[in-house]
Every structure is written in structure tokens, then in C-alpha cells.
Amino acid sequence: MQHTIIIGNGISGVTAARHIRKLSDQQITIISDETDFFFSRTALMYVYMGHMKFEHTQPYENWFWEKNRIDLKKGRVTGVDATSREVILKSGDRLSYTSLIIAVGSKPNKFGWPGQDLEGTLGMYHKQDLEKLEKYAPTNKVCKRAVIVGGGLIGIELAEMLRTRDIEVTFLVREDSFWNGVLPAGESEMINEHIRSHHIDLRLGVNLKQIIDDGSGRVKAIEIAETGEIIDCEVVGLTAGVSPNIDFLKGSELELGRGVKVNRFLETNLPNVYAIGDCAEQHEGIGLRRPIEAVWYTGRMMGETVAQTICGNRIEYKPGHWFNSAKFLDIEYQTYGWVFAKPQAYESQFHWMHPDRTKCITVSYNHDTNEFLGINTFGIRMRHEVFDRWLTENMDVDYVIKHLKEANFDPEFYKTYESDIIKTFSQQETLLT
Amino acid sequence: MSDFKRSMSLTGEPPKALTVQQKIAVLIGMFGLGILLLSLTSINFPNKALWLITSLVSITVGIIWFSSAAYLDKSEGIKNDGVWFKSISSRGLLGWLAGIAMTGFYVVLYFYPQFLGLQGEGKDNVGVIGLFDPLSKALSGNPASQWFVYGTLYTVAILAFGIKFIWKYRHNRYEKIRTMSVMFFQTAFAFLIPEFMARLNSDSFSLPYYDLKNIWPLNYSNFEQYRVDSFISAGTVGTALLIFGVISIFVITPILTYKYGKRWYCSWVCGCGGLAETAGDAFRQLSDKRKSAWNIERWVIHSVVVFVVLMTTAVVYTYLGYDPNKYWLTRNVFLIGVAVILTLVFAGVMIFKRKQLAKDAKYGAIGYFVIILALIGFHYFSNTESVFLLKAEKLRSSYGFLIGAVFSGVVGTGFYPILGNRVWCRFGCPMAAILGFQQRLFSRFRITTNGGQCISCGNCSTYCEMGIDVRSYAQKGENIVRSSCVGCGICSAVCPRGVLKLENDTPAGRINSKDVLLGNDVDLMEFVNRKV
């Protein structure tokens, strides 16, 4: 019988398993040593914050796997033997496969900072990171201050988590404004203010020089490179991005770059071996996307796609229009299409901000053709389907602004800002002409 | 529950503690409760009105101050911090103590009101009921009963915890407006208007105590003989109220449910829902989300509907018999009428909406339909006095005891801290079942999900008080059309990615099933949809 082995029980691997089961009767085994059952990594923060128990992060009940004949094996894969078509486990066991899906996700980046492996340092990615956090930062008496290094989405989530236990947080961001590699200046500045309003000590334009040892192998303080300032702390969160978790594949016959190299069919250089999710690297980025996309939903889409291929319907991975979302403390963020932090040569941006500085939108369009290119929204929910359609139909920006109401997804009775947005937009247009 | 860890903290200390302000607020609230408890002992308060006001004001101030200290110094937004670390809201010791205390209160209230000081006809009340006499006399002119004490405390709870709820969700206008609505309906319709109506009663004119928004079958005793007699003898006003009671069931509720879903009642008007949403909000995460719980829910709640239909039919049938010539409505006409209505509903659903029912729902419906018709037929062709093999009075008292008292009161509210705040609404309320049936099959209401934005975090499912696994729909991008959904809107409020929205829209396209994430390539979507 056909046997597909999936390494990794994250969203990519589990989606692949579910879809293979829908399409075929073959044997499926998922191997992981992180947890017994699939859980939503995105929800780990809510466990520490006390919004949920860990069980709540598991989308399927424990009987689901046996009922759907998906075998779960707890163990760590140490290598892949492509000639004999076997995966090798740390325990010494070997399992043979007919198809192999590598869905091992990523690990937090470390840039060789002195002291980066001391006790009290952690990422915020694995369940084990959460356990570490409970060990080193259970209360503000045990942990008076934490320092977070890295200005991305995981960093701000970690800051929010620690603040719910009234732990002082210093947040070191290398850029001179939060996430300004992704967000246009006005938005980035708004989020800076929002972070500070939550009593987070946000330091912009600074780098970590070293993490200082207390003499027993634990974190005592950190030093900032630019100023030499020493900040005492008990916990250091290293959240400077993630990279593919593929060290165990080094020395195998798999072609590796930063991740496992795959073609548009998610196939690696070895027959019947596929890679999906955070650990897969396209030879070239698809459209404007990056070769490696560490995004929850692309992992799902790759899982759906590879399942088709494995079940005999070879299909190319073709993600549609870019979209994403996040939440910065209390401000929700959604994006559809492309809005660049530093506008491209062809790109103009229309920016609207509410006077209370917790809601804003940025609409990007081609100033030669007037074509709508993308939108960022903060504090206003938008409807994915509508923007997906507008992007497909290449609507022009005037149409989009005029019909923003159709795309509004805020709950009933919410204040709407469309008329204000339209007014601001037409005023700007008059200024330009 | 057995493998439940209070916190992963090694120090064993919960990371959330009460602030000084909250401690003072607890003291004030407990002082108010203490007065009520003391009044149960032999202490006879000299100035009852003053002590009662002191007590109620202290309780209210305590709750409101506690809530302001909890929420008002924080920024607007979802703040469920530490919910699972606090003993009261995570089935810890305080949760169990609160559950046992409330259950005990309900047992005494329903079955031993004499312990609260009820003295019966002609005698002056003592104890806590005696303490409430001045207020009751001021409102309706009558001495208090245990139900008046309960109604007052109920209203105070909805008002004080309603303010807490509004502050907690003050970033969300839907929640604010909805809560003001339940606060209004409780205070005006459930509490004040019936008391004022009672004031109108005299020797020649008498209306039963009537909460206008309390509709059959939730108000299962609305068509009992003493009430119907009382309505009819009260002339035009009474008859109008009786007709309003019937129209509410057959006309008003179906129309409103068609337009807005059952939420117009369950989370905007209903008193049971009102208490669950306000005082019960701290316990919403405790509802059981397992599939097994859902299976139990569907069978239990629909059995309660069948029970209440049989019981009401039997009771009405019995008293129609006393004077068959007085009304056009004779026993035969009534029984045939009930059979015809049930048959029409059943046939309509099976013909037009068959495809929307799961297999077990279909079998259940057929089973129950056959049982009811068989009982009616059996009775019709046999000449026995007892209706449906049992005496009507027996059915009525069993329903009143099992469902009206034990289920809706003792379990429904007493078990908030153990089973979640909508235990009654979810497992027992026949009104919720009927409205839910309309909502599932005939309503414009649905919760839409936002394309591919769901990250399966599970906040929505955790905070669904009706135990719906919202996430399982959201991660598929599928509209949520469920009979149990009361439209509280919390799933939408707690979603960190803006994925869920409560909507009333045209019935077409209400039930969608999407297998492939939006944003994925169009060809693949077409492929999978073609396969299905």
C-alpha cells in the first residue's frame, strides 16, 4: 500500500494529511516530537495570557486522528535516506515511505550574539518556548524585566503577553520605526505610538551587542550596541524572524538553500519527496512573493496542493492575490494586494488616518494607469472576497475608494468612515490636478 | 477537566491578583449580601426599607466599582487576561463554591420558600422576603413573595453586571447596544410592568402576572386554565393579552427570526439570556465544545420541546372539556388543530428543507412526529379521560418540576461556574429550540467568515457560550448557520483577525461549503468544487 510520511505536525503537514485522506485510502503517518497532537501555533500567546488552555489551541479532538486513520508518531527525525526511501528517527527506527512530505516549519533566528544560548533566552515559536516562558517569567516578581530583540510580529506578541502579567518590557528594534520594512511610514509611526501607550519601553534604531551572564549560566542583563547601555533583565526574547528548520537534512542528497528547494509543484530534487510550508523555498519567488513565505495560510494552501499531487492529480502551487493579517496589541491589521513600505516607481499611496490615531488605511495604486494595487487597513475590518475580486478584475482606485463600503466587514452598528475617506481622497485628487 | 492545570506557573501563584480598589469593592458588595443573609436569621431589621436599599445599593456599587477597576484603566479591546488562571472562572475552588451556593439558593427558592421567610396567606412575611415587603408594596401594593425577591435580585444582577459587560466590550457597539436592550427589557417588561399591572387589579378585574416578552413555550404555563380564565374574565384587555400571547408564537417570532435570526430574542430580549450574558459572562468559556456534548444537546433540547408540546396540549385539552358548548374551541377541534399544525410544519420541512437536515435530525424528527400523532390518535380513538396515557395534571407538574424548576433554575443558573453560562439555553430551553429550528431553516441570519484570514487560533470556539466549534467553520471559510447560535457576537469580538461577522442577508447563498481556502489559485478551487 502507498504510505505517505509527513515530517512535522504543523498546519502545512496536517492540511496535507487531511486532504490526502479525503482523496485516497493510503496509509498516512505524521511524525513530530513537539506535541502529541496538532495545535495552532498562532494561539500559543493566548495560553500564556490566560485566554485559553492549551487544549483549546487544538482544532481537532483527540479521537479525530484515529477515526480518519492518520497515524501520529512522536519522535525526532534525524535523517532521510532517499535511496532506500526511509526516514531515520533519533530512536534508531527507520520508516519506509512511498511519498515523503517535509513540513518541519521554522526556528527562531539567532545571529551569533554573545550569550544567545544562556538560560532565560527564548524564541516564541514552539510549545517548548511557552514552557520556558512559564519557567522564567511566571510573574513580575520572578521576572522584573524582559528584553525583546527584534521588531516583528512575534516580538510585539511576546511584549503583549508579558505585559498581561505586568512584567516590564524593553523592546529593541533595529529599524528606526516598528516594522517599517513592511509598513508605510504613517502606519509604522501609529503603531510605535500604540506600543508605547501600552507601557512598553520601545527602543528604535538599536541593536543587541551581547547578553550578559550572571555567572551561573543564566541571563542577567543585555548590552545595547549603539549606546553601551546595560539593561538588567531575567528573560531575553529573541524574535528577529525565523528561518527554515532544516539542519537535520544537511548532508542528505536534498538540494537545500535557506530552505528545502522546491519547484512550483512543491517537488524537491528527489523523487516523491516534497517540501511545504515555512521550510520550503521556491527557486524564484512567485509574483511579488518571497521565495520562502513563513505565513500560516500559505502553509495551508501548499498542504492542499501537495495532497492533490500525491493523489495523482499533479498540480502547480499557485497562490492567488497576497493577503495577510495581524494584531498589534489592540489594533487589527489586514492587507490585500501589495502596499510597499517604500513605494515602487509606479506606485502612489493614498493615506487616511482617523484623528484618534488607532484607525487608518493606505491604498496603493499605479499612478500611470490608476489601477488599484492593494490596501492596508488598521482598526477597520475588510472583506477578503471583495478585495480578491477587485484585484482580479483590475479595478481602478477611484472605483475602489467609492465602493469601500461594500468591502466593510466590521460588526453591525459600528461607526463607518467611508464617507470621510472618500472626502479625503477627492480633496487629495483635486490638489494633484 | 481532570487533566486541567490551573497554570503552568512553577511558583504556583496565579499571575492575576485583585487590586486594592477591587478588594474594597468586594467588601462593599459582600456587606450588601451580608444584610440579606442576616435578614434570614431571627434579626428583625427595624427600618426595612432603609436596610433593603442599603443592601441593594451596596451590592450594585460593589459590582460596578469592581468592574471599573478591572477594565476602565485599560485600553479598549478584548481583555480576557488571566481568565483561565482565576479560580472563579476556571472551575477552581471559588467556581465550585459559587456554583454550590447558587444551586443551594435555587433549591431553597423553588422548594423551600418558607426558609426565606414566606408566611403564606394573611400572615406578615419575615426573613429576607419580609425585608423586600416595602419595595413590593410600593410597586404593586402587595406583600413580597419569593418570586419578587428573586425578580428584584435578578434585575439588579442584570443591571450591575450589564454595566460591567458594557465596559468590558466598550470597543464594540454591537455588544453595547445589545446589552442596553436586555437591561431595558428586564427592568421594564420583566420587572416593573407586571408589578404595575398587578396594581390595576381589583375585586372585579384581575390579570395574571404577565411578562409580555415571555413567550410560550418558555412561558409554559401561559395557557393553563387559571391564566386563560383570568384573561377572559378581565374583558377586552385580558382577551387582547391572550390573543397577543398566541400571535407572538405564530406570527411575531417567526417574522423576527426570519429577519434577524433568533438573536433578536435570545440575546436582545430574553431574561434568561440577559442573565447569562451579563452575570454569566465570566463563565462563557466553560461551555463544553466536544462533539459528544453537541449530540447530547440536540437530543435533550428537542425532547424538551416535544415534552412541552404534549404537556400544553394535554392541559388545554383537559379544561376545554369542562364546558364544550361555551366556546367554539371544543376538545375535538383543538386536538385536530394541533395535529394539523404539527403535520403542516413537519411536511413543510420534509418537502422543502429535507436536504438541510442531517440524517439523525431527520430520523429524530420523524420519530417524534410519529409519537405525537400516535398519542393524539390513540387518545382520539379511545375513550379514556387521561390524555396521552397520563393525567394532564401529572404531565404539567412533572414538566413544572423537571424542566421549569430543576433544569431552568437550579441547573441552568446554579451551574454557570461549572458548565458555562448558557446551560439552560443550550440544553433545555424549548423556546430556543423552536426559534433555532426557524433560524436554521428559514432565516436570513448567518455568521460569515472572512475568506482565508482565519489562523485557527480558537478564540471564537473558546468564548462561544453555546459550545459551537466556530473555528471549524471559520478555518474552512464556511458560513455558520446553526440552530443553537444566539447571535451574542462574541466570536466576532474576540477574533484577532476580523474573520467573523453576524449578518442578515438574502437567503440565497446562506449555506455555502468551501473546501479550498480563498486566495488559493482559482483553477484548484474549480477542480475541487467540481470533484465534490
Side-chain angles (χ1 to χ4, degrees):
Chain A
M1 190 162 71
Q2 295 260 322
H3 181 198
T4 295
I5 291 185
I6 299 164
I7 313 176
N9 69 348
I11 182 64
S12 315
V14 163
T15 308
R18 279 181 44 240
H19 282 261
I20 293 172
R21 175 51 72 240
K22 273 189 192 176
L23 299 166
S24 85
D25 212 27
Q26 59 175 282
Q27 191 187 345
I28 303 170
T29 305
I30 301 181
I31 307 174
S32 166
D33 82 336
E34 186 183 9
T35 50
D36 292 331
F37 299 102
F38 167 54
F39 71 99
S40 284
R41 198 173 298 291
T42 48
L44 277 180
M45 63 181 294
Y46 300 109
V47 178
Y48 180 83
M49 288 160 71
H51 293 209
M52 294 193 219
K53 291 194 288 175
F54 182 72
E55 296 90 290
H56 294 132
T57 67
Q58 296 176 180
Y60 305 102
E61 288 184 62
N62 294 350
W63 49 258
F64 174 88
W65 309 99
E66 203 185 324
K67 184 172 174 249
N68 289 287
R69 291 174 295 115
I70 296 171
D71 298 331
L72 304 178
K73 187 166 177 65
K74 192 153 190 185
R76 185 150 198 98
V77 175
T78 52
V80 174
D81 184 343
T83 353
S84 62
R85 293 197 168 184
E86 286 175 323
V87 294
I88 305 148
L89 296 175
K90 198 177 182 182
S91 61
D93 288 352
R94 286 171 159 259
L95 293 175
S96 59
Y97 60 83
T98 44
S99 304
L100 176 67
I101 301 175
I102 299 168
V104 290
S106 17
K107 60 179 187 339
N109 284 333
K110 291 183 182 180
F111 293 109
W113 296 294
Q116 66 183 10
D117 293 316
L118 288 172
E119 266 193 79
T121 62
L122 46 90
M124 192 55 233
Y125 192 82
H126 298 287
K127 184 178 181 224
Q128 285 75 14
D129 292 324
L130 187 68
E131 283 157 7
K132 272 193 194 172
L133 197 63
E134 281 290 359
K135 184 174 167 193
Y136 298 118
T139 66
N140 60 5
K141 292 188 185 69
V142 178
C143 175
K144 294 198 169 52
R145 177 174 294 274
V147 174
I148 298 169
V149 183
L153 299 180
I154 298 181
I156 197 169
E157 286 179 354
L158 183 56
E160 180 179 3
M161 291 160 69
L162 292 159
R163 289 302 298 144
T164 63
R165 298 200 188 180
D166 291 330
I167 293 169
E168 299 295 334
V169 174
T170 297
F171 192 10
L172 307 185
V173 174
R174 191 181 52 181
E175 293 75 26
D176 51 20
S177 183
F178 179 80
W179 222 37
N180 66 359
V182 179
L183 301 180
E187 300 174 351
S188 173
E189 178 52 36
M190 186 183 92
I191 299 299
N192 289 342
E193 290 168 19
H194 190 64
I195 293 171
R196 291 193 167 116
S197 78
H198 282 71
H199 309 290
I200 293 165
D201 172 24
L202 176 66
R203 309 285 187 94
L204 297 170
V206 293
N207 283 278
L208 175 68
K209 184 174 187 192
Q210 60 162 332
I211 302 170
I212 301 164
D213 190 340
D214 74 342
S216 68
R218 277 202 63 164
V219 168
K220 188 178 86 178
I222 60 106
E223 184 184 348
I224 293 178
E226 284 73 10
T227 58
E229 186 185 353
I230 308 272
I231 299 173
D232 289 338
C233 59
E234 286 74 26
V235 163
V236 178
L238 301 174
T239 61
V242 294
S243 47
N245 182 23
I246 54 162
D247 291 344
F248 74 105
L249 294 168
K250 283 179 182 151
S252 73
E253 297 152 63
L254 273 170
E255 188 193 350
L256 304 177
R258 282 182 54 226
V260 181
K261 289 278 194 185
V262 292
N263 62 18
R264 288 291 296 270
F265 294 86
L266 304 169
E267 296 159 335
T268 65
N269 60 319
L270 300 176
N272 299 313
V273 179
Y274 308 85
I276 57 174
D278 285 15
C279 68
E281 180 181 355
Q282 290 285 329
H283 294 287
E284 276 167 31
I286 301 170
L288 294 169
R289 290 165 182 263
R290 294 175 186 171
I292 299 179
E293 288 192 301
V295 188
W296 172 265
Y297 75 85
T298 54
R300 274 190 56 184
M301 297 197 303
M302 288 189 220
E304 289 171 6
T305 311
V306 83
Q308 296 284 347
T309 303
I310 284 175
C311 296
N313 173 42
R314 191 163 173 265
I315 264 189
E316 198 180 352
Y317 169 59
K318 281 203 262 175
H321 302 293
W322 169 254
F323 67 93
N324 204 9
S325 58
K327 192 170 179 184
F328 303 101
L329 301 154
D330 297 312
I331 298 183
E332 287 175 22
Y333 155 72
Q334 294 182 336
T335 182
Y336 301 99
W338 292 106
V339 181
F340 286 98
K342 310 226 162 15
Q344 310 285 309
Y346 55 81
E347 185 185 352
S348 278
Q349 292 180 353
F350 160 68
H351 192 61
W352 169 89
M353 188 173 295
H354 189 268
D356 76 2
R357 297 186 71 79
T358 62
K359 292 172 268 296
C360 72
I361 68 165
T362 303
V363 176
S364 156
Y365 60 99
N366 185 316
H367 49 67
D368 298 326
T369 62
N370 237 14
E371 183 190 337
F372 167 68
L373 300 173
I375 185 168
N376 283 355
T377 72
F378 290 78
I380 301 175
R381 294 177 172 180
M382 292 290 178
R383 203 182 286 267
H384 186 176
E385 275 176 5
V386 174
F387 279 112
D388 205 59
R389 196 176 69 232
W390 286 346
L391 286 164
T392 302
E393 294 170 355
N394 301 319
M395 294 318 239
D396 70 39
V397 65
D398 302 281
Y399 180 91
V400 169
I401 298 279
K402 220 173 277 169
H403 292 80
L404 265 187
K405 208 179 183 68
E406 273 173 47
N408 188 300
F409 201 70
D410 274 335
E412 291 151 299
F413 305 117
Y414 265 45
K415 280 208 182 99
T416 55
Y417 305 99
E418 284 90 9
S419 53
D420 192 29
I421 293 171
I422 293 173
K423 214 171 88 189
T424 316
F425 184 73
S426 54
Q427 279 167 356
Q428 284 198 6
E429 278 204 322
T430 349
L431 283 177
L432 288 172
T433 48
Chain B
M1 212 162 77
S2 52
D3 60 343
F4 169 57
K5 280 190 283 185
R6 292 247 313 107
S7 146
M8 289 194 277
S9 161
L10 289 183
T11 56
E13 184 190 355
K16 283 279 142 193
L18 295 184
T19 65
V20 177
Q21 285 205 41
Q22 284 178 316
K23 285 174 187 161
I24 300 171
V26 169
L27 194 72
I28 294 173
M30 285 298 159
F31 170 72
L33 267 184
I35 295 174
L36 294 185
L37 280 177
L38 271 181
S39 71
L40 282 172
T41 64
S42 49
I43 294 176
N44 196 9
F45 285 101
N47 192 338
K48 287 203 168 91
L50 188 67
W51 281 106
L52 177 66
I53 291 168
T54 310
S55 166
L56 295 181
V57 168
S58 301
I59 293 172
T60 312
V61 168
I63 295 169
I64 293 175
W65 193 0
F66 188 95
S67 314
S68 79
Y71 300 112
L72 289 187
D73 64 335
K74 297 203 179 96
S75 57
E76 293 183 11
I78 288 298
K79 299 288 181 292
N80 284 315
D81 302 340
V83 162
W84 285 100
F85 303 142
K86 290 175 196 154
S87 182
I88 185 82
S89 56
S90 64
R91 296 195 195 98
L93 179 66
L94 286 181
W96 278 96
L97 285 178
I100 291 166
M102 284 203 280
T103 309
F105 170 70
Y106 273 92
V107 170
V108 172
L109 181 79
Y110 277 94
F111 307 115
Y112 305 101
Q114 66 272 26
F115 292 168
L116 300 176
L118 190 74
Q119 293 293 302
E121 287 298 306
K123 286 190 216 158
D124 281 344
N125 288 320
V126 294
V128 70
I129 298 182
L131 191 67
F132 278 73
D133 270 343
L135 181 62
S136 182
K137 283 180 180 144
L139 290 174
S140 69
N142 304 318
S145 68
Q146 81 267 38
W147 303 120
F148 180 78
V149 173
Y150 181 49
T152 311
L153 293 177
Y154 201 102
T155 308
V156 166
I158 288 185
L159 290 177
F161 283 105
I163 291 173
K164 176 206 160 211
F165 190 90
I166 287 174
W167 281 343
K168 179 175 175 185
Y169 296 100
R170 65 190 187 281
H171 65 294
N172 190 315
R173 278 189 88 205
Y174 178 77
E175 298 303 336
K176 286 200 287 192
I177 295 172
R178 180 175 73 85
T179 306
M180 287 177 211
S181 169
V182 290
M183 289 161 80
F184 165 76
F185 277 103
Q186 175 61 32
T187 316
F189 280 66
F191 187 61
L192 293 178
I193 293 177
E195 294 295 331
F196 294 149
M197 273 163 66
R199 199 164 259 279
L200 300 175
N201 287 348
S202 63
D203 292 338
S204 55
F205 177 84
S206 164
L207 282 173
Y209 193 90
Y210 191 27
D211 171 359
L212 287 164
K213 65 173 178 51
N214 206 357
I215 301 165
W216 183 93
L218 183 57
N219 181 8
Y220 57 88
S221 54
N222 204 34
F223 300 107
E224 285 190 16
Q225 182 170 17
Y226 77 95
R227 288 183 71 96
V228 174
D229 286 351
S230 172
F231 279 134
I232 291 172
S233 65
T236 324
V237 178
T239 314
L241 286 177
L242 185 61
I243 292 171
F244 175 75
V246 177
I247 290 178
S248 328
I249 307 163
F250 291 106
V251 182
I252 300 176
T253 59
I255 290 177
L256 287 172
T257 309
Y258 168 74
K259 290 187 118 160
Y260 307 111
K262 76 193 227 192
R263 55 183 173 150
W264 75 268
Y265 191 73
C266 294
S267 52
W268 285 74
V269 171
C270 177
C272 305
L275 191 73
E277 292 292 343
T278 51
D281 177 61
F283 309 109
R284 57 187 321 124
Q285 67 283 354
L286 300 174
S287 64
D288 194 334
K289 274 76 181 185
R290 281 174 303 181
K291 199 173 172 223
S292 48
W294 183 33
N295 285 330
I296 295 171
E297 168 194 322
R298 289 188 296 170
W299 281 99
V300 173
I301 194 171
H302 292 111
S303 304
V304 173
V305 181
V306 172
F307 192 6
V308 78
V309 169
L310 284 177
M311 185 274 288
T312 308
T313 310
V315 166
V316 174
Y317 176 86
T318 326
Y319 66 72
L320 285 178
Y322 292 142
D323 193 357
N325 299 323
K326 194 168 166 185
Y327 314 114
W328 58 272
L329 192 61
T330 64
R331 284 183 159 189
N332 279 347
V333 171
F334 177 69
L335 267 197
I336 293 168
V338 170
V340 166
I341 289 173
L342 290 176
T343 309
L344 283 178
V345 170
F346 179 79
V349 170
M350 284 298 161
I351 293 166
F352 298 111
K353 298 282 172 178
R354 189 176 60 250
K355 287 191 193 122
Q356 293 182 24
L357 289 179
K359 209 188 243 172
D360 58 340
K362 251 181 270 180
Y363 292 157
I366 294 169
Y368 276 136
F369 179 64
V370 170
I371 290 173
I372 295 184
L373 281 197
L375 282 172
I376 292 178
F378 180 81
H379 175 77
Y380 200 61
F381 295 111
S382 69
N383 281 321
T384 145
E385 253 312 296
S386 61
V387 194
F388 306 149
L389 311 174
L390 282 166
K391 286 227 183 307
E393 178 51 29
K394 185 83 189 154
L395 271 177
R396 194 200 64 79
S397 61
S398 328
Y399 187 93
F401 174 76
L402 287 173
I403 313 295
V406 176
F407 206 155
S408 83
V410 179
V411 177
T413 310
F415 286 16
Y416 273 8
I418 310 302
L419 298 173
N421 56 333
R422 287 261 192 184
V423 192
W424 159 247
C425 312
R426 185 181 172 196
F427 291 96
C429 177
M431 182 76 187
I434 291 180
L435 295 181
F437 175 80
Q438 294 167 359
Q439 165 166 289
R440 174 72 181 77
L441 298 177
F442 307 103
S443 173
R444 296 157 60 97
F445 172 71
R446 83 290 313 262
I447 303 178
T448 48
T449 54
N450 202 4
Q453 292 283 18
C454 175
I455 52 168
S456 297
C457 71
N459 271 296
C460 50
S461 290
T462 306
Y463 286 89
C464 177
E465 56 192 347
M466 295 304 281
I468 300 172
D469 190 1
V470 184
R471 166 174 53 192
S472 67
Y473 296 86
Q475 63 190 2
K476 283 181 265 188
E478 192 178 325
N479 286 351
I480 299 159
V481 183
R482 282 278 296 266
S483 47
S484 57
C485 176
V486 290
C488 68
I490 296 294
C491 56
S492 163
V494 298
C495 178
R497 293 291 186 273
V499 173
L500 300 155
K501 183 175 194 303
L502 280 56
E503 294 194 68
N504 311 310
D505 202 347
T506 49
R510 190 168 77 106
I511 297 174
N512 64 341
S513 115
K514 285 179 189 154
D515 246 353
V516 170
L517 202 57
L518 184 71
N520 211 344
D521 170 65
V522 189
D523 302 343
L524 182 59
M525 281 180 76
E526 276 175 7
F527 173 79
V528 174
N529 290 336
R530 202 168 57 234
K531 283 215 120 178
V532 170

